[in-house]
Amino acid sequence: MQFLLALIVAGPLVGAAAALLPAPPGLKGTSPDQAVLRHGVVVTGVILLAAIVLALGFDHDQPSTMQATTDITWIKALDVRIHLGVDGISLPLLVLTALLTFLCALYSYFQMPSGPSPKGFVALLLVLESGTLATFAVLDLVLFFLAFEMVLIPMYFLIARWGGEGKQAAAWKFILYTLLGSVVMLLGLLLIGVKAGTFDMVALATDNGRGLTTSVQVIAVLAIGIGLAVKTPMWPLHSWLPDAHTAAPTVGSVLLAGVLLKMGTYGFVRIVLPIAPDGMRTFAPSLAAFAVAGIIYGSLACLALARPGNKGDLKRLIAYSSVGHMGFVLLGIATMTPTGVNGALFANVAHGLVTGLLFFLVGAVKDRYGTADLDTLAGATGAALYGRAPRLGALLAFAAVASLGLPGLAGFWGEMLALFGAFDPAEGLSRPAFLTFMAIGAFGTLLTAAYLLLVVRRVCMGGPRPAGETPIADVQGYEFAAWTPLVALTVLAGLWPAVLLGLTDPAVQKLLAGGTQ
């Protein structure tokens, strides 16, 4: 188990280095480009297989216990250690990351985005995977920061070199926002480590803030929270996200929404909640207020983009929808209750599955029509996907209703549990305030349904293909292969939420109790 986790974290880095080397003559296939893309599929496939074996070997009777742990001294003078481990909180995110990266590599093998040589693309994809997996596996504050930052450079180049219109400006906006947030976060992490005398996240969580004064906790939560909020992204620190999604290639958008945004909310759960509970309690009402503001803002922005005549970009609309969906995650965390935090973790995974699928589908529509402009897609010669590509239209409608939280699909449970957590927040938090936040969040679900159903009506519905119009391709075999796992898991998580909640709940209970359970 220790070896498996180390392989999962470090394996993509080895694969990235190998991707830059010349392919052996017998493995080149029809071209060196094909060989390196196949290499990306193989490496990410091995990492996914290792993650599945790790999940199967995980002791599901003890999900609150750190398993597959490695603890090696790295920088003795600072007591920084190479400390790895997984529990019921991190394991689902680890598997989700490995799955989405493999599906992106598989999709890119058949639909490589236009840009420079595939060698750089595959190497960056693998470095991005390694950094994300490490973020969910490390148990040292310094290592967490290094892993957190490791993903920025590959995502910058994926947007800047393989993106679409406006890619340079979007890439710079992404890197500047996230770097500035990270500088502030580093100060907070160092403050905790210096004052507590250790950077070990397990020891700090077990101490539950008892070794830190309230003023230190408040300062640390403010600094760390800003850095995490930028990555989440929380309104009003979200403005980098729509530009990044609009310019990014399809697989870049899938990984950005499905994996990178989760790093911010994971940091709130793994670091802020257990290590500085008094500081978190001080800022919880403000975090909840920003969360519900993001829910309403994201929904209203999507409604504006979906209106006829506004030249709304479908990728940009899905990006704004992420601001709203991640608002429910932040609301659940702000309640500081097991119900709310479990809802946040469930919504994290559901958002990764559903929004990842949405970006795959929108990318496919854009590839076929050369645009993601809603007015063009809804025009007389536009998509009307039900009549022109019925399977693609059906999948887009499925992803939309999953995103709006239809009961029986993955999007429902996380948002419902986050609202339930706001109904009865943790002791010391104002219940009238959180009841107000709950009501606003519930209203946001109605707005979400409104804009997603409007998108389905405009893009999917319409008459059959007019005579003489050039047909478009329906879902291809490689697209079925890349999208089917996301559809299946969206249904599975919606029908059997206990599979995921059974992992997260004991770990959350222990985390909130300071390791005493």
Side-chain angles (χ1 to χ4, degrees), residues 199-246:
F199 290 100
D200 187 271
M201 291 159 64
V202 175
L204 288 166
T206 303
D207 189 61
N208 203 220
R210 288 181 285 269
L212 301 170
T213 65
T214 301
S215 59
V216 168
Q217 290 189 39
V218 168
I219 295 170
V221 169
L222 179 61
I224 297 170
I226 289 173
L228 297 175
V230 170
K231 186 67 71 73
T232 297
M234 181 186 77
W235 180 91
L237 303 175
H238 69 283
S239 61
W240 61 269
L241 183 71
D243 291 341
H245 271 308
T246 304

